[in-house]
Amino acid sequence: MEQTQITQIIDAAGGRDAVIAALGIGQRVLQHHIQRGQLPAVWFWALEDMANRQLPRELFSFKAPRRGG
């Protein structure tokens, strides 16, 4: 399911070639993250801007805040 959603995000952002060019990554890197079903959090804002819509944060590797001291 996540792979399908990630593919939809990439398509909305202009396709694989556009994402690769915008993020300065290689085809293998993008394919790796598609297969894992999770995208790096650092890509979130760029992809959201490229897709021109809000993206589901759960598909990105944001870290949960630490609790306690």
Side-chain angles (χ1 to χ4, degrees):
M1 175 90 151
E2 286 88 10
Q3 286 181 346
T4 301
Q5 289 179 304
I6 288 174
T7 302
Q8 290 171 350
I9 289 169
I10 291 166
D11 289 343
R16 289 178 186 235
D17 290 339
V19 170
I20 287 168
L23 298 175
I25 59 171
Q27 178 71 30
R28 282 187 185 178
V29 172
L30 183 59
Q31 187 61 36
H32 168 77
H33 290 292
I34 292 170
Q35 290 174 344
R36 278 187 58 222
Q38 190 172 51
L39 298 169
V42 71
W43 296 1
F44 177 79
W45 290 275
L47 291 177
E48 192 170 67
D49 187 51
M50 291 173 72
N52 197 31
R53 67 176 197 210
Q54 289 185 330
L55 300 179
R57 288 180 179 260
E58 64 271 9
L59 296 178
F60 293 82
S61 63
F62 289 103
K63 294 181 179 180
R66 288 202 276 175
R67 300 191 184 248

